[in-house]
Amino acid sequence: MEYSIKEIAGIIGSTTVLPLRDARIGILLTDSRRLSQPEDSLFFALKTKTNNGHKYVDELYHLRVRNFVVNEMPPEAASTMPQANFLVVKDTLKALQKLVTHHRKRFNIPVIGITGSNGKTIVKEFLYQLLHNEFNIVRSPRSYNSQLGVPLSVWQMNEKHTLGIFEAGISQPDEMERLQPIISPTIGILTGIGEAHQENFISMFRKCMEKLTLFAHSEAIIYNADNAFIANCIDSSLLSHRAVGWSRINSEAPLFVEAVRKKETETDLVCWVMGQSHTYTIPFTDDASIENVLHCLALLLCLKPTGLQDTSRFKRLEPVEMRLEVKQGIHNCLLINDAYNSDINSLDIALDFMQSRKAGKMLKSTLILSDILQSGTLPKSLYKKVADFVRRKKIDRLIGIGRDMTEYAALFDVPKEFYRTTEEFIASPAIHTFHNELILLKGSRRFHFERISERIEKIVHETILEVNLDAVVHNFNYYRSLLKPGTKIIAMLKAFGYGVGAGELAKTLQQYPCDYLAVALTDEGVDLRKEGISIPILVMNPEQSSFNFLLENLLEPEIYSFRLLQTVIKETQRRGITSYPIHIKIDTGMHRLGFQPADVPELCRVLKHQTGVTVRSVFSHLAGSDSPDFDAFTLKQMETFRQAAESLENNLGGKIYKHILNSAGIERFPQEGMDMVRLGIGLYGVSVNGTKELKNVATLRTAILQIQHVPAGDSVGYSRRSYATRDSRIAVIPIGYADGLDRHLGNGVGEVWINNHLCPIIGNICMDTTLVDVTDTDANEGDSVIIFGQAYPITHLSDKLHTIPYEILTSISPRVKRIYYRE
């Protein structure tokens, strides 16, 4: 649906400085990197703790965007952007929400609003699977449930939709009040209340009451009536007369769950609904999935009671894959697996992600796409839009799978091939033709694209390191929030990005954006340039023999001695380079590398008598910022550095960035942020203060190969260092010291996490395998094993080894496959 720019100006109550030109708006743009159709887009210049959208207005104008919502006019806009429409408001986010609230009021269809601390996305996707044959559904893409994500989701509604399903999440008081009119749900689902974001609410009760405001005008509210806390909150909200609770205890409940019978791979739910007993078989056995399905059953009772008669639809439910993964493929291919769903909006998001991963790689872009089901758009119009995406995103090869894709093949003007079914494609020679390609897998569930993924994914070691790129962004933004506005951040990606992989991290940080990256060696910086990284890169330990590569790749060296300074000056002069950026290191007490403060006058003299280099920043390194025991020394270092840095700046003239804080320093001394900070281990989710704000980034995971039954008294492992003290079940897992698991964790020192239990390592750790005592668990062969991660933090391992998390991360062997994903 489209609105005129004048309509929108009236809806959001904006003022205009310049006369408005006629324009039709169909796309709301909040991220300049997601620009696709500039003529139809309205850009909202949002201000956040970490960024300001106003700085992208000029760039977007030159990319043909002509419509903007701002809270301040760009300087000289009339002369520099004469064809632009500017709608001026006090708060651009509130203006966006106001516009979408107006849009929502145009539709009189059932809308399901889902909130709670967990399970929102799963319930939403289960409902889509259960109802998409009867309704034309519009729903939140992925987990778009924030103050920004909700309005962008609801904006998708058009006159062809017959049902809406939207998530709503909150992290602060009063946020749900702004989301309620945007979603305006006719039916609500409260999935549960947990600890997430509890630090921002005075009590669990207040958080629950806040979430319930989403349902202020709903006709029905679905919840677990056996949860006394939630039931009490609903009573306190005066919503109990609209509550529809399911129960495993109360036989008078609208949906009574008489029995839950778990089998090996499925569960039977025996339920009484409207005086009749039905058995619903679902392909899950975990408690969370069972509860999510019960919410869906109760929803059907309210929305479409006749749908409860068809028990078979529940057996066809499929697990919801919550993340987009980047994996190594066969024949030097890179595979982006996003077979989570296939609709036009998620396709756009995935193609953007694909483009960001292609930069700097000599790989062809290949899209494997299934039919897009239940879009509510006429197929020809839908696939015209898909073809436009394929053209604009510069896809080199298209493989279409499905009847509709095949029928509308002529719309696509790229090298292409089409197959009616996934089976037909797998049986074709094309499955063996992938070489040097960046492959995006995007398929609706019924096409089972996991079968394609299995064939083109590189077969590797079962032990993997999972890296959550969303957690990296979250941690980056958390540290940025501690600093005064304008403070630049250098993200430390030394040692292969602390072992998790510098390339993917750099691409992610470049998007958000990070100001600087730092590596230890020139080779590491060259590798990032080859990956398409264009932001400044600081080399902390440049070697004189590498200066040729350093200068060719525009890498900026740390200079810590007169010898190194003279070398770089000589190299720049020999090449006719002037004002090449360097970074001066001052030793203020670490006594590792750096000029002494007393060297500053001579340093200034040398720098003044040359033109090859210019000082971009001056910095020092804190020796004990992580411990209050050393605060006096830390403060002395800061004062010494401040004097030396100011002397350098005053003598040379011009602005020089100053930085001394590392991750621990940012947490404990944010007021000393100066011009820049260096964010290292905190980026990876490790805090010196134990803050709960950080998210786990890396999970080292493996699986049980075999379980041995060892009688009491028998020895286990090499050198007979451990003995079974009872009849034991000993699991063999495929990770050893060649993978980076320290041998000192053997013989009962270390533990791993299996099925919510800590299990001790028994015997010596071998090169490729480790033995674990699982006697007290229900563990089976094939079960997942966590070496470290969210459930068992890396700090537990480092404490047992009397070392630091840095060493654990950087010790992980290259043979351990890194899998990168976005939630």
Side-chain angles (χ1 to χ4, degrees):
M1 297 184 68
E2 292 186 344
Y3 292 78
S4 74
I5 192 67
K6 292 179 180 178
E7 280 182 285
I8 292 175
I11 292 167
I12 66 177
S14 64
T15 59
T16 54
V17 177
L18 304 172
L20 291 179
R21 297 168 174 265
D22 289 338
R24 302 292 297 177
I25 301 299
I27 297 172
L28 305 186
L29 182 67
T30 60
D31 184 338
S32 61
R33 295 162 299 185
R34 299 205 62 228
L35 178 64
S36 59
Q37 295 171 250
E39 297 83 0
D40 303 329
S41 297
L42 175 62
F43 179 68
F44 286 78
L46 302 179
K47 286 185 177 180
T48 67
K49 290 180 180 179
T50 59
N51 210 352
N52 185 348
H54 291 79
K55 64 186 182 183
Y56 303 108
V57 169
D58 182 66
E59 172 191 340
L60 286 168
Y61 183 82
H62 287 93
L63 292 173
R64 305 195 319 280
V65 176
R66 294 294 180 262
N67 301 285
F68 302 89
V69 178
V70 298
N71 61 20
E72 55 191 36
M73 285 290 290
E76 301 178 356
S79 58
T80 59
M81 291 177 270
Q83 297 179 331
N85 289 321
F86 288 101
L87 308 185
V88 183
V89 296
K90 289 184 178 179
D91 187 317
T92 51
L93 177 59
K94 286 183 178 178
L96 171 65
Q97 294 172 336
K98 192 173 183 179
L99 172 60
V100 181
T101 297
H102 174 90
H103 181 68
R104 168 67 181 90
K105 290 177 181 177
R106 298 181 62 174
F107 304 98
N108 185 25
I109 62 172
V111 171
I112 302 165
I114 308 172
T115 191
S117 298
N118 45 55
K120 296 184 291 293
T121 301
I122 304 294
V123 170
K124 178 196 69 184
E125 294 303 319
F126 278 177
L127 287 173
Y128 177 79
Q129 292 182 47
L130 292 166
L131 295 169
H132 74 267
N133 287 326
E134 290 120 312
F135 294 90
N136 185 358
I137 299 174
V138 56
R139 70 195 196 279
S140 309
R142 294 190 172 272
S143 299
Y144 274 37
N145 58 33
S146 66
Q147 295 290 304
L148 176 58
V150 167
L152 293 179
S153 299
V154 175
W155 180 256
Q156 300 174 94
M157 292 180 76
N158 63 47
E159 65 278 359
K160 296 175 182 176
H161 293 125
T162 57
L163 176 66
I165 311 176
F166 301 108
E167 302 176 41
I170 57 171
S171 59
Q172 301 283 345
D174 304 321
E175 286 185 337
M176 194 63 85
E177 186 177 359
R178 295 170 66 173
L179 298 183
Q180 191 281 328
I182 301 173
I183 298 177
S184 190
T186 56
I187 303 176
I189 300 177
L190 180 60
T191 59
I193 300 295
E195 294 292 335
H197 305 298
Q198 186 55 50
E199 66 278 5
N200 298 324
F201 296 87
I202 60 174
S203 68
M204 197 82 78
F205 176 77
R206 288 311 314 164
K207 182 169 67 175
C208 187
M209 295 294 283
E210 170 86 12
K211 289 180 181 289
L212 285 169
T213 60
L214 177 64
F215 311 134
H217 305 295
S218 299
E219 298 165 10
I221 304 163
I222 309 299
Y223 75 108
N224 177 2
D226 297 338
N227 187 317
F229 171 74
I230 291 179
N232 178 57
C233 291
I234 289 175
D235 285 343
S236 300
S237 297
L238 304 179
L239 296 173
S240 55
H241 61 293
R242 286 180 258 156
V244 179
W246 57 264
S247 174
R248 298 174 64 173
I249 300 170
N250 180 13
S251 61
E252 299 299 317
L255 173 63
F256 172 53
V257 187
E258 183 179 32
V260 176
R261 298 173 184 150
K262 294 185 180 182
K263 304 174 186 177
E264 186 173 349
T265 60
E266 59 187 25
T267 301
D268 289 338
L269 303 176
V270 183
C271 302
W272 282 88
V273 186
M274 298 184 295
Q276 293 183 320
S277 178
H278 299 280
T279 298
Y280 302 94
T281 301
I282 62 173
F284 313 108
T285 59
D286 62 290
D287 291 339
S289 293
I290 290 169
E291 182 157 331
N292 290 333
V293 171
L294 290 171
H295 287 311
C296 296
L297 278 165
L299 185 282
L300 260 67
L301 176 62
C302 295
L303 178 70
K304 189 177 174 56
T306 55
L308 293 171
Q309 305 296 322
D310 178 11
T311 59
S312 64
R313 70 173 74 192
F314 288 87
K315 194 165 186 174
R316 295 192 296 268
L317 282 172
E318 296 183 7
V320 176
E321 180 56 64
M322 292 290 292
R323 62 197 198 185
L324 178 155
E325 293 184 331
V326 182
K327 300 179 179 181
Q328 193 63 44
I330 57 174
H331 307 313
N332 196 38
C333 290
L334 194 62
L335 175 63
I336 302 174
N337 189 354
D338 192 25
Y340 163 78
N341 57 37
S342 184
D343 57 53
I344 196 71
N345 296 296
S346 65
L347 175 62
D348 190 20
I349 294 169
L351 287 170
D352 280 339
F353 184 83
M354 184 185 196
Q355 281 191 312
S356 73
R357 265 49 198 169
K358 187 179 180 182
K361 291 184 180 293
M362 300 301 291
L363 299 176
K364 294 186 297 183
S365 296
T366 297
L367 171 62
I368 304 178
L369 179 66
S370 79
D371 285 351
I372 296 176
L373 305 177
Q374 301 297 323
S375 70
T377 303
L378 290 173
K380 188 170 184 179
S381 299
L382 172 66
Y383 290 103
K384 273 186 177 180
K385 192 168 186 179
V386 173
D388 184 52
F389 280 178
V390 168
R391 177 184 54 79
R392 285 189 288 101
K393 305 297 184 181
K394 297 181 172 60
I395 298 300
D396 299 305
R397 178 187 183 189
L398 172 67
I399 298 173
I401 298 177
R403 185 186 62 189
D404 291 346
M405 287 290 293
T406 304
E407 183 175 347
Y408 294 100
L411 296 174
F412 299 90
D413 56 1
V414 298
K416 58 198 175 185
E417 52 207 270
F418 294 88
Y419 303 86
R420 291 278 179 173
T421 65
T422 301
E423 292 75 16
E424 183 184 338
F425 171 61
I426 290 173
S428 75
I431 193 75
H432 305 294
T433 61
F434 296 108
H435 290 83
N436 301 310
E437 296 172 57
L438 177 59
I439 305 166
L440 171 61
L441 268 176
K442 193 77 176 134
S444 297
R445 281 185 182 82
R446 71 169 59 170
F447 287 88
H448 296 287
F449 270 19
E450 67 275 6
R451 297 176 58 197
I452 301 175
S453 177
E454 289 168 359
R455 286 161 173 79
I456 60 177
E457 182 183 339
K458 188 176 181 180
I459 303 301
V460 292
H461 192 17
E462 279 196 68
T463 298
I464 59 173
L465 184 71
E466 296 177 329
V467 182
N468 185 342
L469 297 176
D470 285 333
V472 172
V473 174
H474 169 88
N475 297 340
F476 179 84
N477 286 334
Y478 167 70
Y479 280 99
R480 175 164 274 175
S481 73
L482 301 178
L483 302 165
K484 67 178 185 291
T487 305
K488 297 182 182 299
I489 295 180
I490 303 172
M492 307 300 294
L493 300 185
K494 301 185 296 179
F496 191 50
Y498 285 51
V500 305
E504 284 296 327
L505 263 63
K507 290 173 185 176
T508 300
L509 292 167
Q510 182 169 260
Q511 283 183 282
Y512 275 87
C514 179
D515 303 290
Y516 256 88
L517 303 176
V519 296
L521 305 174
T522 299
D523 287 349
E524 294 175 329
V526 171
D527 287 343
L528 290 181
R529 289 289 187 236
K530 290 178 180 177
E531 292 277 355
I533 303 304
S534 58
I535 60 178
I537 299 175
L538 169 59
V539 179
M540 305 296 285
N541 300 314
E543 297 167 327
Q544 295 189 30
S545 60
S546 69
F547 269 39
N548 186 40
F549 293 109
L550 185 143
L551 295 171
E552 284 181 359
N553 288 275
L554 301 179
L555 306 174
E556 302 178 15
E558 167 190 320
I559 302 299
Y560 50 80
S561 70
F562 285 108
R563 175 171 169 265
L564 195 60
L565 176 61
Q566 292 293 354
T567 300
V568 71
I569 291 172
K570 182 178 178 181
E571 282 296 319
T572 54
Q573 290 175 342
R574 184 173 68 84
R575 296 164 179 262
I577 296 173
T578 59
S579 300
Y580 194 88
I582 63 171
H583 302 260
I584 298 296
K585 174 77 171 288
I586 304 292
D587 177 15
T588 58
M590 181 83 163
H591 298 319
R592 190 168 61 180
L593 292 174
F595 293 96
Q596 296 302 312
D599 293 333
V600 170
E602 176 62 13
L603 182 59
C604 291
R605 188 194 67 78
V606 172
L607 289 167
K608 283 180 176 180
H609 288 84
Q610 58 80 48
T611 59
V613 300
T614 187
V615 179
R616 178 66 54 82
S617 84
V618 57
F619 68 101
S620 189
H621 204 113
L622 297 174
S625 58
D626 56 343
S627 173
D629 295 342
F630 305 125
D631 280 359
F633 184 79
T634 298
L635 294 173
K636 181 182 177 183
Q637 276 193 278
M638 291 178 182
E639 181 56 32
T640 300
F641 171 68
R642 192 177 289 108
Q643 292 176 6
E646 289 176 356
S647 175
L648 187 72
E649 187 174 56
N650 291 337
N651 274 279
L652 296 180
K655 176 64 179 175
I656 298 175
Y657 295 130
K658 295 175 280 293
H659 50 107
I660 194 170
L661 296 186
N662 52 11
S663 296
I666 301 170
E667 287 189 44
R668 301 192 61 241
F669 305 96
Q671 71 280 3
E672 299 292 342
M674 301 184 188
D675 304 301
M676 302 175 81
V677 296
R678 300 185 303 279
L679 179 57
I681 194 66
L683 185 66
Y684 304 89
V686 180
S687 164
V688 298
N689 277 351
T691 177
K692 303 298 183 184
E693 293 286 345
L694 298 183
K695 290 187 176 181
N696 179 69
V697 167
T699 298
L700 183 58
R701 182 192 300 276
T702 188
I704 296 175
L705 291 177
Q706 185 180 24
I707 294 180
Q708 298 275 15
H709 294 270
V710 179
D714 274 17
S715 63
V716 177
Y718 278 126
S719 303
R720 308 194 72 189
R721 291 285 303 277
S722 292
Y723 289 81
T725 58
R726 55 181 173 168
D727 290 346
S728 302
R729 299 171 70 237
I730 305 299
V732 184
I733 59 176
I735 183 172
Y737 58 78
D739 301 294
L741 188 63
D742 196 298
R743 290 188 77 244
H744 294 93
L745 291 169
N747 300 299
V749 175
E751 300 163 315
V752 297
W753 187 261
I754 304 176
N755 295 349
N756 296 316
H757 289 84
L758 278 175
C759 301
I761 295 173
I762 185 169
N764 282 334
I765 290 174
C766 309
M767 180 182 288
D768 308 302
T769 58
T770 295
L771 307 175
V772 179
D773 188 343
V774 295
T775 308
D776 296 324
T777 77
D778 59 355
N780 294 301
E781 293 178 1
D783 283 356
S784 177
V785 180
I786 304 297
I787 310 301
F788 62 75
Q790 182 66 39
Y792 189 62
I794 193 172
T795 49
H796 290 2
L797 251 64
S798 60
D799 289 346
K800 286 181 178 294
L801 290 169
H802 306 291
T803 185
I804 53 178
Y806 303 70
E807 183 178 351
I808 306 293
L809 277 174
T810 56
S811 297
I812 299 170
S813 166
R815 79 177 188 179
V816 174
K817 180 182 180 183
R818 275 71 171 169
I819 293 180
Y820 305 93
Y821 67 93
R822 305 294 297 266
E823 296 288 356

